Amino acid sequence: MPVPWFLLSLALGRNPVVLSLERVVGPQDTARCSPGLSCHLWDGDVLCLPGSLVSAPGPVLVPTRLQTELVLRCHEETDCDLCVRVAVHLAVHGYWEDPEDEEKFRRAADPELEEPRNASLQAHIVLSFQAYPTAHCVLLEVQVPAALVQPGQSVGSVVFDCFEAALGAEVQIWSYTQPRYQKELNLTQQLPDCRGLEVQDNIQSCWALPWLNVSADGENVRLVLDVSEEQHFGLSLYWNQDQGPIKPWWHSNLTGPQTITLNHTDLVPCLCIQVWPLEPDSVRTSICPFREDPRAHRNLWRAARLQLLPSRGWRLDAPCSLPAEATLCWQALDGGPCLPLVPPLPRENVTVNKVLEFPLRKGHPNVCVQVSTWEKLQMQECLWADSLGPLKDDMLLVETRGPQDNGSLCALEPSGCTPLLSRASTRAARLGEQLLQDVQSGQCLQLWDSNLGALWACPMDKYIHQRWALVWLACLLLAAVLFLLLLLKMNPVKGWLRLLKENIRAGAASRSRAALLLYSADDATFERLVGVLASALCQLPLRVAVDLWSRRDLSAQGALAWFHAQRRQTLQEGGVVVLLFSPGAVALCREWLQDATSAPRAHGPHDAFAASLSCVLPDFLQGRAPGRYIGAYFDKLLPADAVPALFRSVPVFSLPSQLPDFLGTLQGPAAPRSRRLVERAEQVSRALQPALDSCFRPPGALGTGRGMGPEAGVRT
C-alpha cells in the first residue's frame, strides 16, 4: 500500500543533517573571519542587554544575516555534545555626514603615502544564545580595512565555534552591535534528538534510548520497539495540537521488546509518539508520522463535531487543528442550497475546541454554519434550529450602504441577490414594494448591522395566505359545479363513490405520510433486497426516500447533507425514519456506542446510514426517537437479540413475519387495520422472498466490531 509513513523509521528521523557532522575537538570557543577581516573573541560572558537604538555617526559595520551549522564537540572519541556553529554575515551601513571626514578616512588608507596609517572600520558584534532555561552571550570584535569599506556592500563574515545545547531543544539566537544601530537579527532552530545515526553512536545519553519503527499491519499500524528484554521505558501517544497544549491520549510504562498495534481509525494528523528510558534526566524522542497521511485527515473530519452553545455561540470539537474557515449561510424553507452570507459577513478562521460567536444581533432558525477548506465544503449544520424552532418561510434582505448614506436592498435567492424594485420574475421581485414597506415599518427582524450594511429577515406567511385565499375560492366554485353535476347523475356515480370512500379510508393516512429508509450497504445483494422493499412500499402507497434512488444528489451534496435535508423534510411532514438493521449496521452502531470520540469505519461515498449516525444516536440518547423512528430487520439475516438495546425504545419489527404490523405502523395510528392491509402485506412478502433468498447467509456471518485504542493490540 503506497503510504509513505508505513516505511518511516524513528532511527532515521526527520533531520538528515545529523547523519554526518563535523567534529570540533577541545572545550574552548573560537572565532575566525573571512579573508581580509580581522576578529577577536573576548574572554568571558557579556551581559545580554541589546540597549536602545542610536544613530550611526557615519559608515558602521552591522550584521545582515545569521547562518547556523550543527557540529559535535568531542572530549573523547565516543563522548561528544551537540554544538551550534553560528556564522554572522556583515555589511557596511550608513554614509559620511561630512565629505571631509570621508576624505580623511580615504587618505589615511592610501598605500602611496610615505607613512600610511592602518585605517579600518571596527565593530563589536554580540551573539546571544538562549536554550531554555539557560542563556549565553559572547562578544566578537571585528575590523574591516578601509579599502573594503563601501556603504551598502557586504564585507564578509565571522564564524563562532560554538554554543553547546541539549538534544531536541529549541534554541534562539540574536545578533546586534554595541552600540546598537539597527534592529537585532534573530533565528529560531529546533535541534535534532537521538534519532540521528552518528548522534546515537557518539553521545552517551543516547545509548540507552529505545528505538522505534512504524510499519504496516494490514489496514492498521504496528509500532515495533527494539530494546533489550530487561530495559524499562515509557511510551506516550498524544495529540500535538497547534492551538493549545498537547493532549495526552495513552501512556504506559513497558519492558522491551514490545509490538503495539494501532487501529487505523485512531490515526489523525496530530497523533505523535514519544518514547524514553525510565531513567533520571533521560532524553525523550518524539515523532509525528501521520501528518501527511490521507486516511488520518479523513478520520479527523469524521471525528470533528459542531456543538451548539448558548447565546448564538458555537464550537468545533476535533482532536487536531483544522485549516478551515467558517461562515454563516441562509437555509431557505424549500430545501435548496444554503446560501453563504459572504459578503457582507466575513469568513472566520476556525479555532478548534474554542467557543466562537458570529456578530449577529438576533438568532434565526434559518441561519446555519458552513465549515470549508480551500478544496470543498466539509461540514454544514443548522445549529440553532433546535433552540429557535423549525425553519421559517422568511425572505432574507441584504442592505448595502454607500458613503453618502444612500443604500439599496436586495433579496437573497438561489439565483443571486435580486433587487427589490426590479422586473425579474422571482418572488422577491414580485413582492418588492411590499417587502420594502415591511422593512420601513419594522415588521422585519434585523439580524446584523454595521456601517457597510445590514441583514433583515422578513416573514412571507401573510403573502402566502393572500395567494392561497384566491386558490381556495376557485376550488370552492369548482367543487360546487361538480356537486351539481353529480346530483344530476346520482345513480351511475354511487358505485364509484363507494370505491372512492374505501380507498380514502385505506390510503389517506399512508398517502399523507413520508418514510425515509436508512440502511448499511453491506453488499450488492443486500442493496438489491432494500430496493425491492422500497419499491413494494411505494405501492401502498407511501412516499419512500432511499439513497439508492438519489445517487446523483448524494454525489453532488455528500451523504451527510443529503441525509439532513431528507430527515428534516420527512419529520416536518409528519413522516417516519425507518432504521433497517443488518450485520453491518449493527457493527457500525456498536462502534459508535463503544467510543463516541472515535470516527466510524470507512464507508462508501453513498452510505447515508454511516453519515446519519451523528444525528440519529443523539435522538435516541436524549429520548426524542419515539414517534419519529421505527426499526426493522430481516428474519434470516439477523437474530432478534442482535439489535442494540438503545434502539428498542421504538418499535422494531421482524420482516417478513411481522409485515402487517410494520405496514400498519408506517401508515400511522389513524389508519384502519382492514383486510386489505393483510393482503398488501402478503404481496410485499411475496416480492421480498426471492431477493431475501439470494442474500441469505449462514449463522455466524455477523461481524464483530474491532477494539478501539492501542490497549487491545499490545503484545510482547
Side-chain angles (χ1 to χ4, degrees):
M1 185 175 295
V3 180
W5 52 263
F6 277 156
L7 303 178
L8 183 63
S9 170
L10 280 179
L12 295 179
R14 295 176 298 167
N15 298 285
V17 70
V18 300
L19 295 177
S20 179
L21 299 183
E22 179 183 342
R23 293 169 176 262
V24 177
V25 180
Q28 297 297 324
D29 296 337
T30 60
R32 63 181 185 275
C33 303
S34 56
L37 306 184
S38 61
C39 55
H40 170 69
L41 174 64
W42 284 43
D43 295 334
D45 290 346
V46 297
L47 292 178
C48 301
L49 298 176
S52 331
L53 282 173
V54 297
S55 299
V60 292
L61 203 58
V62 295
T64 58
R65 184 165 60 95
L66 291 176
Q67 189 174 359
T68 61
E69 180 184 1
L70 299 181
V71 296
L72 290 177
R73 171 169 281 173
C74 299
H75 310 285
E76 295 180 3
E77 180 66 22
T78 58
D79 183 12
C80 302
D81 294 312
L82 195 63
C83 210
V84 180
R85 172 183 292 166
V86 182
V88 184
H89 295 265
L90 305 172
V92 178
H93 173 74
Y95 297 88
W96 296 100
E97 295 182 358
D98 190 348
E100 295 183 359
D101 295 336
E102 180 180 5
E103 183 65 24
K104 293 178 181 179
F105 184 81
R106 298 297 181 189
R107 189 180 305 114
D110 190 352
E112 296 182 357
L113 294 178
E114 294 181 359
E115 296 181 359
R117 291 175 290 173
N118 295 327
S120 63
L121 198 60
Q122 179 176 298
H124 291 90
I125 308 297
V126 177
L127 284 178
S128 175
F129 183 86
Q130 293 189 12
Y132 183 82
T134 62
H136 178 46
C137 290
V138 296
L139 181 63
L140 303 171
E141 182 179 306
V142 183
Q143 290 186 352
V144 180
L148 299 179
V149 176
Q150 295 292 334
Q153 298 295 322
S154 175
V155 297
S157 62
V158 57
V159 178
F160 171 75
D161 278 336
C162 58
F163 292 110
E164 293 186 10
L167 289 163
E170 182 181 85
V171 299
Q172 293 180 316
I173 305 171
W174 285 270
S175 178
Y176 50 89
T177 59
Q178 282 188 348
R180 189 161 63 95
Y181 299 117
Q182 64 178 18
K183 184 178 179 181
E184 62 269 17
L185 299 179
N186 66 82
L187 176 67
T188 301
Q189 183 175 0
Q190 182 70 42
L191 299 186
D193 50 27
C194 287
R195 286 171 288 167
L197 296 179
E198 187 173 338
V199 171
Q200 178 187 4
D201 296 335
N202 294 277
I203 298 182
Q204 295 181 0
S205 59
C206 296
W207 291 357
L209 186 70
W211 297 100
L212 175 67
N213 288 330
V214 182
S215 59
D217 184 13
E219 289 188 349
N220 300 323
V221 179
R222 184 171 56 199
L223 311 180
V224 181
L225 290 100
D226 184 14
V227 294
S228 60
E229 294 184 358
E230 300 300 327
Q231 182 179 351
H232 302 282
F233 63 93
L235 179 69
S236 176
L237 303 180
Y238 63 93
W239 291 328
N240 186 23
Q241 297 176 331
D242 295 335
Q243 301 160 349
I246 64 173
K247 186 177 181 181
W249 181 51
W250 184 79
H251 169 80
S252 181
N253 293 333
L254 304 172
T255 302
Q258 289 282 351
T259 299
I260 299 175
T261 301
L262 296 179
N263 196 315
H264 71 92
T265 59
D266 295 334
L267 304 182
V268 290
C270 64
L271 180 61
C272 300
I273 309 164
Q274 188 176 79
V275 61
W276 67 96
L278 295 178
E279 299 175 357
D281 300 326
S282 60
V283 177
R284 298 193 176 201
T285 296
S286 300
I287 189 173
C288 304
F290 313 115
R291 293 186 182 274
E292 305 300 330
D293 184 69
R295 293 191 303 175
H297 285 272
R298 289 194 295 268
N299 290 339
L300 177 59
W301 279 110
R302 292 192 186 105
R305 295 291 179 270
L306 278 174
Q307 181 180 357
L308 170 66
L309 298 173
S311 185
R312 300 179 304 280
W314 63 278
R315 182 174 67 192
L316 181 61
D317 293 325
C320 308
S321 301
L322 287 169
E325 293 180 332
T327 185
L328 294 181
C329 65
W330 179 263
Q331 180 63 62
L333 183 61
D334 58 7
C338 197
L339 305 176
L341 301 181
V342 178
L345 292 180
R347 296 184 182 272
E348 293 190 8
N349 293 327
V350 174
T351 303
V352 298
N353 307 323
K354 180 181 179 181
V355 178
L356 302 173
E357 185 173 342
F358 281 95
L360 295 180
R361 299 181 61 181
K362 299 288 184 179
H364 196 282
N366 293 39
V367 176
C368 305
V369 174
Q370 287 182 337
V371 178
S372 59
T373 61
W374 65 273
E375 296 177 336
K376 63 176 181 177
L377 174 65
Q378 296 286 356
M379 305 179 69
Q380 176 180 308
E381 296 289 345
C382 296
L383 299 177
W384 297 286
D386 293 337
S387 59
L388 300 177
L391 297 178
K392 297 181 179 180
D393 189 16
D394 290 0
M395 181 70 68
L396 185 70
L397 303 183
V398 180
E399 180 183 357
T400 304
R401 295 169 182 168
Q404 280 78 29
D405 201 18
N406 54 348
S408 61
L409 279 172
C410 63
L412 193 63
E413 295 182 300
S415 59
C417 204
T418 306
L420 293 186
L421 303 179
S422 67
R423 297 181 179 180
S425 60
T426 63
R427 182 173 67 160
R430 290 192 298 269
L431 302 174
E433 294 184 359
Q434 293 91 325
L435 291 173
L436 186 58
Q437 293 176 1
D438 291 345
V439 174
Q440 295 173 350
S441 60
Q443 299 183 37
C444 298
L445 178 66
Q446 189 179 51
L447 303 180
W448 174 75
D449 186 30
S450 75
N451 297 330
L452 301 178
L455 296 176
W456 305 84
C458 298
M460 301 295 289
D461 297 340
K462 59 181 180 180
Y463 302 113
I464 296 176
H465 294 161
Q466 293 175 2
R467 183 177 61 182
W468 281 105
L470 297 176
V471 175
W472 279 112
L473 181 59
C475 291
L476 289 176
L477 292 175
L478 180 60
V481 173
L482 292 176
F483 182 72
L484 292 175
L485 294 176
L486 291 174
L487 289 178
L488 296 176
K489 298 182 179 181
M490 178 63 70
N491 291 332
V493 178
K494 285 184 179 179
W496 178 78
L497 287 177
R498 189 179 300 109
L499 294 175
L500 179 62
K501 183 178 181 180
E502 182 180 356
N503 288 335
I504 291 176
R505 288 180 177 177
S510 63
R511 281 195 300 269
S512 63
R513 208 168 200 210
L516 173 60
L517 192 60
L518 296 179
Y519 69 99
S520 175
D522 291 2
D523 51 37
T525 56
F526 186 77
E527 282 191 309
R528 184 162 54 252
L529 176 61
V530 174
V532 173
L533 176 62
S535 300
L537 293 179
C538 289
Q539 304 302 320
L540 290 184
L542 278 173
R543 288 184 288 108
V544 180
V546 63
D547 63 350
L548 276 173
W549 302 339
S550 305
R551 287 294 168 84
R552 181 175 297 178
D553 294 339
L554 277 174
S555 299
Q557 302 177 17
L560 185 60
W562 179 88
F563 166 74
H564 276 297
Q566 296 295 330
R567 173 180 173 272
R568 181 174 62 249
Q569 181 178 354
T570 300
L571 297 182
Q572 286 178 350
E573 296 176 358
V576 64
V577 179
V578 180
L579 301 178
L580 192 58
F581 292 98
S582 65
V586 170
L588 185 58
C589 293
R590 286 175 177 170
E591 283 187 15
W592 277 85
L593 293 174
Q594 286 173 0
D595 190 358
T597 61
S598 294
R601 294 174 300 161
H603 283 254
H606 306 306
D607 196 343
F609 187 88
S612 66
L613 283 181
S614 61
C615 288
V616 170
L617 288 178
D619 286 345
F620 280 87
L621 293 172
Q622 299 174 14
R624 299 196 303 263
R628 296 182 172 188
Y629 296 83
I630 65 173
Y633 62 93
F634 293 101
D635 296 329
K636 297 182 179 181
L637 297 182
L638 195 70
D641 57 352
V643 178
L646 174 65
F647 298 97
R648 296 189 176 274
S649 60
V650 300
V652 180
F653 301 96
S654 175
L655 304 181
S657 60
Q658 295 180 343
L659 261 175
D661 294 335
F662 175 70
L663 298 182
T665 304
L666 279 180
Q667 293 182 89
R673 300 299 188 268
S674 62
R675 184 175 60 183
R676 190 167 182 175
L677 180 63
V678 177
E679 295 175 355
R680 287 177 173 174
E682 293 176 356
Q683 295 175 0
V684 174
S685 179
R686 286 194 298 269
L688 285 176
Q689 198 60 45
L692 188 60
D693 292 339
S694 67
C695 67
F696 173 73
R697 290 181 293 188
L702 176 62
T704 58
R706 189 189 299 270
M708 299 295 291
E711 295 89 341
V714 177
R715 62 185 183 272
T716 304

